[in-house]
Amino acid sequence: MSVIEVADLAVFAGPTRLLGPVSFQIEAGRTLVVMGETGAGKSLIAQAIMGTLPPSLTATGTIAINGRRVDNLPGAERAKLWGRDLTALPQEPWLSLDPLMASWKQVAEAHRHVAGLDAKAAKAVTGRDLTALGLAPREPRLPGALSGGMAQRVAFAAATAGRAPILLADEPTKGLDQQRHARVVGLLAKVPKDGGTLIAITHDASVAEVLGGDLIVLRHGDVVETGKTAEVLQAPKAPYTKALMAADPRNWPVQSMHRTGAAILTARNLAISRAGSKLIGGFNLTVHAGDRMAITGPSGIGKTTLLDTLAGLIAPFEGTVERSAGMGEHSVQKLYQDPPAAFPPLIPIGTNLRDVARQHKVDWDQALQYLPDLDLHQDLLNRRPDSVSGGELQRLSIVRALIVKPKVLADEPTSRLDPITQKTTLDLFARIGRETGIAVVLVTHDAHIAEKWAGKVHPLSLPISA
């Protein structure tokens, strides 16, 4: 008997179809991988199965778990399945973690109240889980004080604590460095080996290769190709699937560098800290107009804190950050790696962007010109942040930053984007740099992106406690 059976699932925003119809069945001990472009509807499948679609969206079709239809159950009845029968690792870890509870306690609480362990056993198992993920066994910090990759690992530990036999993992490796990426993928691969059922949503071909199983490829909400994962990846038939594989950063050509301009931002003997702990010291950096630069390093080492310091959001622990004449306070714009945390949750996206344009005296029509460049539809501006995909929200955050007409864009602007959209976005950055002199300081865990896109690569490898 199929553990999950989905028939003719379709999701709508008003009259607009976002996904489907999609149909599939998964048996125990099997894996289904869902790949596709940003905004194709991948996350909507997981949300529909869990019963957590935003109120602004509606679904049709049927969903059965272990032979029992669940799509027509009241919300309270569906919630009884969470953590015990099925569990989800959402794309945005901060939306699944309590911002006011110590990180390790959230994992321990799941072991106690979902898995049924006593307090002592829950504490011991939590320590083992967090240590296996490269985290401190008694991580005391709140989720907001963690890096994106660290928060992702805490969310993974909490989501899997109840040992639910069905796991829905939505972009489970985003924000992770290579070592932790491999560790999490290995843990996911154990789910079907141990008799569980896994639905993995990813735009990373390397993740799909390891997980195997069956594959669904989505584009614009439609299924464009299905089959055994290994067979589809090795010999894709649909033109879109072929383009998706070709856009994998491993297959990118090395981009040629254009001539850069004068120095606009200089860090001298810079040291940074978080919560009184020194993370990086003796760091020197010069950013020229039009630069394409990559900063790499393990999750939690301080890359985002470094960029916060360069942007003037926090003061240096030691050393100086100097800007060239004419650089205003908004000349360095951060592109946050977790855009839901940077958008007001209850305000339509368009209202937020209009406010930014008005504040900086930018014509609204001029602000809208960036939407087609980033393959964004204007109707997204009518939605709230929770009604668009993570990748769409990430690109909308890029639009918001460009409205300000900055001199430097910094941080991890493509972590949620599928390979095609990621390459298109970074190609756009390269073109904007040539035409306007904007410099891009890119944080990435992907060595292929750093080596093939950036003109300069600055690896950070100082050991810090995780």
Side-chain angles (χ1 to χ4, degrees), residues 279-354:
L279 301 179
I280 296 170
F283 184 79
N284 295 284
L285 178 75
T286 301
V287 180
H288 296 80
D291 259 344
R292 295 203 309 269
M293 186 177 296
I295 294 178
T296 64
S299 173
I301 197 172
K303 300 184 297 298
T304 295
T305 303
L306 173 62
L307 293 184
D308 284 344
T309 307
L310 295 178
L313 300 176
I314 57 178
F317 184 71
E318 296 172 355
T320 61
V321 177
E322 302 168 7
R323 300 185 179 193
S324 65
M327 289 265 287
E329 61 177 329
H330 303 295
S331 294
V332 181
Q333 285 291 306
K334 267 203 66 182
L335 294 168
Y336 291 87
Q337 61 175 290
D338 288 281
F343 277 86
L346 302 180
I347 297 176
I349 293 167
T351 301
N352 180 258
L353 297 187
R354 281 183 181 273

Side-chain angles (χ1 to χ4, degrees), residues 10 84 154 162 318:
R84 296 174 175 84
V154 172
E318 296 172 355

Side-chain angles (χ1 to χ4, degrees), residues 74-138:
E77 286 297 309
R78 295 190 76 171
K80 291 178 181 179
L81 304 174
W82 299 348
R84 296 174 175 84
D85 293 271
L86 72 165
T87 190
L89 176 62
Q91 184 176 152
E92 307 299 341
W94 281 291
L95 298 183
S96 64
L97 296 172
D98 186 334
L100 301 180
M101 182 184 290
S103 296
W104 79 270
K105 288 184 178 180
Q106 302 195 45
V107 181
E109 186 176 77
H111 279 297
R112 285 198 65 190
H113 300 296
V114 180
L117 302 181
D118 61 36
K120 183 177 180 180
K123 188 174 183 179
V125 176
T126 294
R128 290 200 296 270
D129 287 352
L130 294 180
T131 299
L133 290 167
L135 294 164
R138 299 289 179 269

Side-chain angles (χ1 to χ4, degrees), residues 32-53:
L32 175 68
V33 179
V34 183
M35 291 185 68
E37 64 187 355
T38 304
K42 303 185 299 295
S43 298
L44 297 178
I45 293 176
Q47 291 172 340
I49 294 172
M50 289 293 295
T52 57
L53 283 170

Side-chain angles (χ1 to χ4, degrees), residues 450-461:
E451 294 165 2
K452 296 183 178 183
W453 180 84
K456 304 171 185 175
V457 179
H458 292 268
L460 302 178
S461 57

Side-chain angles (χ1 to χ4, degrees), residues 288-435:
H288 296 80
D291 259 344
R292 295 203 309 269
M293 186 177 296
I295 294 178
T296 64
S299 173
I301 197 172
K303 300 184 297 298
T304 295
T305 303
L306 173 62
L307 293 184
D308 284 344
T309 307
L310 295 178
L313 300 176
I314 57 178
F317 184 71
E318 296 172 355
T320 61
V321 177
E322 302 168 7
R323 300 185 179 193
S324 65
M327 289 265 287
E329 61 177 329
H330 303 295
S331 294
V332 181
Q333 285 291 306
K334 267 203 66 182
L335 294 168
Y336 291 87
Q337 61 175 290
D338 288 281
F343 277 86
L346 302 180
I347 297 176
I349 293 167
T351 301
N352 180 258
L353 297 187
R354 281 183 181 273
D355 288 345
V356 172
R358 183 168 52 251
Q359 178 72 24
H360 293 273
K361 298 179 173 58
V362 174
D363 181 80
W364 180 238
D365 289 336
Q366 187 179 4
L368 292 177
Q369 70 178 339
Y370 298 112
L371 294 177
D373 285 338
L374 289 163
D375 195 24
L376 293 167
H377 297 290
Q378 197 164 328
D379 63 0
L380 292 174
L381 302 182
N382 299 321
R383 301 187 203 169
R384 298 195 318 190
D386 65 352
S387 295
V388 303
S389 73
E392 287 169 331
L393 198 58
Q394 191 164 42
R395 282 177 285 158
L396 286 162
S397 72
I398 293 171
V399 171
R400 185 173 62 179
L402 291 174
I403 288 174
V404 182
K405 299 187 182 302
K407 300 294 184 184
V408 181
L409 289 172
D411 214 336
E412 198 166 358
T414 64
S415 61
R416 280 166 180 70
L417 304 183
D418 63 86
I420 293 176
T421 308
Q422 180 173 249
K423 189 173 187 305
T424 300
T425 301
L426 290 176
D427 286 346
L428 173 65
F429 284 158
R431 176 169 66 80
I432 290 175
R434 289 192 301 269
E435 295 175 354

